[in-house]
Amino acid sequence: MTDNRNVILAIVLSVIVLFGWQFFIAGPQLQRAQQQQEIAAEQAQSDASLAVPAAANAPAAGTPGTVAPDGTVFYADRAEALAASQRITIDTPDLRGSINLTGARLDDLELKQYRETVDPQSPIITLLTPDGAPNAYFAEQGFVPTAGATIAVPDGKSVWTVEGNANTLTATTPVTLRWDNGAGLVFHRTFAVDEYYLFTVSQSVENNSGGSVALFPYARVARHGTPKVANFFIQHEGPHGVLGSNNMVSKKYTDLQKDQKVLFENTTGWLGFSDKYWATAVLPKPDTVINAQFSWKNTGSYDDYQTSFVETTPLVVADGATATHDSYVFAGAKEERVINSYQQQYGFDRIDLMIDWGWFSFLTKPMNWLLTTLYGLIGNFGLAVMAVTIIVKALFFPLASRSYASMAAMRRVQPEMKIIQERFKEDRPAQQAAMMELYKKEKINPLSGCWPMLIQIPVFFSLYTVIFISLAMRHAPFFGWIQDLAAPDPTNIFTLFGLIPWDPSVLPVVGGFMHLGVWPVIMGITMWVQMKLNPPPPDPTQAMIFNWMPVIFTFMLGTFPAGLVIYWAWNNTLSVTQQYFIMKRHGVEVNLLGNILGAFKRKPATDVPTKS
C-alpha cells in the first residue's frame, strides 16, 4: 500500500513539474524565441528592401541616368531627384522642403534660419536629400509583417496618394497619405510638424482582409556617402543614440564600417545621425521596447549607413478594425532650448544628449548658460566672452592674489638668488638645496607662478567646447573683420592679409601652422608681456622653455576659433594689469618696460679663459 502511494505521489509530482516547466519556463522561452525570430526576420527583410544587389551586367551604380537592380534611379543632382516624383510641400517658420509620395518619405528638408556662410545671400542649409541623388539622406517609417506572412506592405517604391484637400504641411495643417495593398489592407500615414523640428508620424491600418494581421512598426534614417567631419575629440559627429541601459551610444563612420552591424536588443530610446550643428533621429514613444541597429554596407558606389529600430510588440489589427501607431522624427538644428522642451513635453529619454557637451558637461553647460545670458544683456557674443573673463577673474582673485604675491617675493630675493647661483656654480645639488632653503626662509612657493595659468585651463576648455559646438556661437560677429566667432581669424600675416595671392596652408608638414591671423598675434604679444612680469627661472632650460611658450601658443591658437583667441588675449591683458598692481602693492619695483626692452638687447659674450 505504501509502495502504491509513493508511486502515485511520484506520478503526481512529475506531472506538476512537467506542466510547471512547460507553463512557466519552456513556454515563455519558446514564445520569446519565436518573437525574436520574427523580429530578426523583419529586420532582415527591412535591410533587404534597402540593399542594392550586385549584377554582372548592371550599369555602374550611382551614375546619373542609370537604374540600380532594385529600381533606384540615380540623378545628377538634388534638383533633378526632387523633380522626378510628386511631392507634398513642407512650409513652416523654420523648415522648407517636401514629402516624397513615392515611399511617403521625409527626404527633402532645408533650414530657413541658417545659411552656409556669413554672407546673407548664401544658400540656406540643406539637411535631407532624396534617394538616388548624391549624398542622399532621408527618414522613413513603415511596417513589416511577421515571419512567414505574405502580407503586402508599402515600401520605398510604393506610390501614395494625398487624402483630403491639404497639400502643404505646415505647423497647423497636417497632411494624410493613403496606400491600398489591393488585398483588404489600407494604410494611412499622417505627417504633422510643430513650429520647430519635430515631426509626428501617425500610421493607421484598416483591415478588411478577412483575418487579423500583425505588423511590426519600424523606422530608420539612411545616409548615403560618408560626410566630412571635423573628428575633434570634444564632439561626436556620426551615428548615435540613447538606448536605455546602454546609455549614450556613439559610432564613428569609420568604426561602423569595421563593425558593419551593431544590434541592441530589447532596449528603449532613440537613434539617428548627428552633425556638428544639425541632427536627424527617429524616436518611438517613450518606454517603447525596440530592437535598435546601426549598420553599414557598401553598394559598390557609395557607403550606405543606417540607424533603425523595430518595435518588439507588433501592431495587431483585427478583421474589420483599424489600428494606429505613432512615432516621431527630429530633423533640424541642435538648438538647446528646443531640444530641452521636447524632453520635458514628450518625455524622450535624454534627448538633450543630442548636443554633445563632452566629458566635462558639468562645466560646459553652465558656461553656455552664462554666455547666453550675458549675450541677452549685452547683445554681442564677443563682449559676452570678455564679460565671462572678468567674472572668472573675480572668482579666482584670492588664489591669483596669493600667487602673484609669492612672485613678488621672488622678485625681492632676486639678488640673493644670483649670489647662490654664483657661489654654487659648479655644484648643482648644493645650489638647489640653497635655493630651497631660501624659499623656505622667505615663505616662497617657486611653482606659484604656474597657478594663474593652471586655474584657467578648465575654464579655457569649457569655453572652447562651447564656442566649438554651440549653435548660438555659429556666425556670431564681433567687431571689425571678425564676423564669425566660431571660425578662425580670417586674416593671415603670411599672405600680408590677402595682398599675396597664395595659400600657405597647403604646404607639406608646416602648412597647418601657416595660418596666423591678427588676433593670435595679439594673444602671443600679451602672453609674452605677461611672462616679462615674472622673474626668470634660475634654470637656463626652464628659462628657454618659458621664452618660447608665447611663440608656441601663438601658432597653436592660429587655427582656433576667434572667440577663444579673443578670450585668451583679453585674459592675459587683465592678468598683466592685476599682477602689476599686486606686485607694486607688495613693494616690488616692476620695470615692465625695461624688462621688455631688455629682451631685445644682446647679452655680452662670456669670456672664455685661454691656456697660458
Side-chain angles (χ1 to χ4, degrees):
M1 186 69 179
T2 302
D3 293 339
N4 291 336
R5 186 181 63 186
N6 291 338
V7 170
I8 294 173
L9 182 60
I11 293 174
V12 172
L13 290 174
S14 299
V15 170
I16 292 174
V17 170
L18 181 63
F19 279 95
W21 173 269
Q22 180 69 26
F23 184 79
F24 291 106
I25 299 177
Q29 285 181 348
L30 182 62
Q31 185 178 5
R32 284 196 299 270
Q34 182 179 1
Q35 187 181 48
Q36 292 298 324
Q37 183 180 10
E38 291 175 346
I39 293 171
E42 176 270 330
Q43 188 93 47
Q45 183 175 349
S46 175
D47 289 345
S49 68
L50 309 174
V52 182
N57 56 358
T63 303
T66 62
V67 180
D70 70 338
T72 299
V73 180
F74 294 100
Y75 303 97
D77 52 37
R78 188 174 184 274
E80 185 180 341
L82 292 174
S85 60
Q86 293 183 315
R87 296 181 167 273
I88 292 292
T89 302
I90 300 173
D91 189 11
T92 74
D94 284 351
L95 299 174
R96 181 178 76 187
S98 61
I99 298 170
N100 195 343
L101 292 184
T102 301
R105 285 173 174 168
L106 184 61
D107 65 355
D108 169 31
L109 208 60
E110 297 175 310
L111 309 182
K112 287 182 177 180
Q113 306 302 324
Y114 298 97
R115 298 191 175 272
E116 293 182 0
T117 68
V118 293
D119 184 355
Q121 302 303 317
S122 65
I124 62 176
I125 292 295
T126 296
L127 183 63
L128 301 183
T129 297
D131 189 15
N135 302 313
Y137 186 20
F138 55 88
E140 179 184 74
Q141 290 78 23
F143 293 106
V144 175
T146 56
T150 57
I151 302 172
V153 294
D155 59 19
K157 306 303 175 187
S158 303
V159 179
W160 296 62
T161 57
V162 181
E163 193 168 79
N165 297 323
N167 56 8
T168 299
L169 174 60
T170 70
T172 57
T173 309
V175 296
T176 300
L177 310 181
R178 182 181 186 273
W179 186 81
D180 192 334
N181 78 341
L185 294 181
V186 178
F187 295 82
H188 291 87
R189 191 170 294 173
T190 300
F191 289 86
V193 63
D194 66 3
E195 58 183 347
Y196 300 112
Y197 311 114
L198 189 67
F199 292 82
T200 302
V201 184
S202 299
Q203 301 184 89
S204 65
V205 182
E206 297 178 13
N207 182 12
N208 294 297
S209 64
S212 64
V213 296
L215 303 171
F216 287 97
Y218 80 90
R220 68 183 177 113
V221 181
R223 192 165 202 171
H224 298 169
T226 305
K228 291 182 64 177
V229 296
N231 273 332
F232 273 36
F233 74 97
I234 62 172
Q235 184 189 38
H236 173 74
E237 294 180 75
H240 76 152
V242 171
L243 299 173
S245 60
N246 299 290
N247 299 314
M248 185 69 184
V249 178
S250 301
K251 292 288 181 180
K252 291 183 178 180
Y253 290 103
T254 52
D255 291 340
L256 193 55
Q257 289 177 12
K258 298 174 184 177
D259 298 335
Q260 297 192 12
K261 185 177 292 187
V262 183
L263 181 64
F264 297 88
E265 295 183 334
N266 296 314
T267 186
T268 57
W270 54 270
L271 69 168
F273 292 90
S274 178
D275 298 326
K276 184 174 182 178
Y277 296 117
W278 336 112
T280 305
V282 285
L283 308 94
K285 283 189 171 181
D287 300 323
T288 300
V289 181
I290 60 174
N291 284 352
Q293 179 177 282
F294 299 90
S295 63
W296 167 88
K297 64 175 178 288
N298 187 275
T299 65
S301 64
Y302 60 82
D303 293 309
D304 183 6
Y305 302 93
Q306 291 190 39
T307 60
S308 60
F309 71 78
V310 180
E311 296 189 13
T312 59
T313 303
L315 182 72
V316 179
V317 191
D319 183 37
T322 300
T324 302
H325 173 270
D326 292 340
S327 64
Y328 305 90
V329 177
F330 175 92
K334 295 193 292 188
E335 298 177 9
E336 183 186 22
R337 174 183 57 85
V338 173
I339 291 175
N340 288 343
S341 70
Y342 292 152
Q343 181 164 312
Q344 296 171 3
Q345 181 178 353
Y346 295 91
F348 297 130
D349 185 13
R350 291 166 285 178
I351 194 176
D352 60 314
L353 295 182
M354 190 175 287
I355 303 175
D356 185 4
W357 295 109
W359 297 336
F360 299 99
S361 58
F362 61 92
L363 287 175
T364 52
K365 293 183 79 170
M367 180 64 73
N368 181 68
W369 174 86
L370 181 59
L371 271 174
T372 305
T373 302
L374 291 173
Y375 169 73
L377 298 174
I378 301 173
N380 184 286
F381 266 112
L383 295 179
V385 169
M386 289 185 165
V388 166
T389 312
I390 295 174
I391 292 173
V392 171
K393 281 291 182 186
L395 290 175
F396 288 106
F397 178 79
L399 182 59
S401 179
R402 287 195 295 269
S403 173
Y404 294 144
S406 181
M407 284 190 289
M410 287 193 70
R411 280 284 191 185
R412 287 198 308 269
V413 298
Q414 278 285 80
E416 297 179 54
M417 293 173 62
K418 289 186 180 295
I419 293 173
I420 292 175
Q421 291 172 3
E422 289 295 327
R423 181 183 304 168
F424 301 102
K425 187 173 6 180
E426 304 298 332
D427 190 350
R428 293 298 297 275
Q431 182 185 117
Q432 292 293 333
M435 285 287 189
M436 295 306 297
E437 185 64 28
L438 176 64
Y439 294 152
K440 184 177 180 181
K441 174 185 173 184
E442 299 292 337
K443 298 180 180 180
I444 297 172
N445 182 0
L447 298 178
S448 62
C450 299
W451 279 109
M453 184 172 293
L454 291 177
I455 61 177
Q456 65 178 299
I457 288 178
V459 179
F460 174 85
F461 182 81
S462 60
L463 187 61
Y464 174 66
T465 303
V466 170
I467 292 174
F468 185 80
I469 72 172
S470 174
L471 183 61
M473 295 294 291
R474 181 180 185 266
H475 294 174
F478 185 48
F479 296 107
W481 63 93
I482 302 297
Q483 297 300 311
D484 186 358
L485 287 167
D489 187 327
T491 60
N492 192 350
I493 64 173
F494 294 109
T495 64
L496 294 182
F497 310 108
L499 294 178
I500 304 177
W502 75 302
D503 183 9
S505 63
V506 299
L507 294 176
V509 183
V510 298
F513 301 97
M514 297 294 285
H515 183 95
L516 198 59
V518 174
W519 271 106
V521 172
I522 294 174
M523 187 285 304
I525 293 173
T526 59
M527 189 175 186
W528 181 73
V529 170
Q530 185 180 11
M531 292 289 184
K532 293 305 169 184
L533 272 176
N534 302 325
D539 183 74
T541 303
Q542 293 181 9
M544 182 185 68
I545 293 174
F546 272 75
N547 287 335
W548 277 99
M549 275 184 63
V551 178
I552 295 171
F553 271 76
T554 297
F555 280 91
M556 189 174 69
L557 269 67
T559 57
F560 275 40
L564 194 68
V565 181
I566 292 171
Y567 156 76
W568 197 276
W570 176 238
N571 180 74
N572 289 343
T573 303
L574 293 178
S575 297
V576 168
T577 305
Q578 184 183 35
Q579 185 176 351
Y580 180 85
F581 284 105
I582 290 176
M583 294 177 76
K584 290 286 286 185
R585 191 179 65 186
H586 284 79
V588 177
E589 184 63 32
V590 182
N591 186 11
L592 179 58
L593 181 60
N595 292 343
I596 294 174
L597 295 177
F600 297 99
K601 292 180 181 179
R602 179 177 296 181
K603 294 182 179 181
T606 304
D607 293 333
V608 180
T610 58
K611 294 182 180 180
S612 56

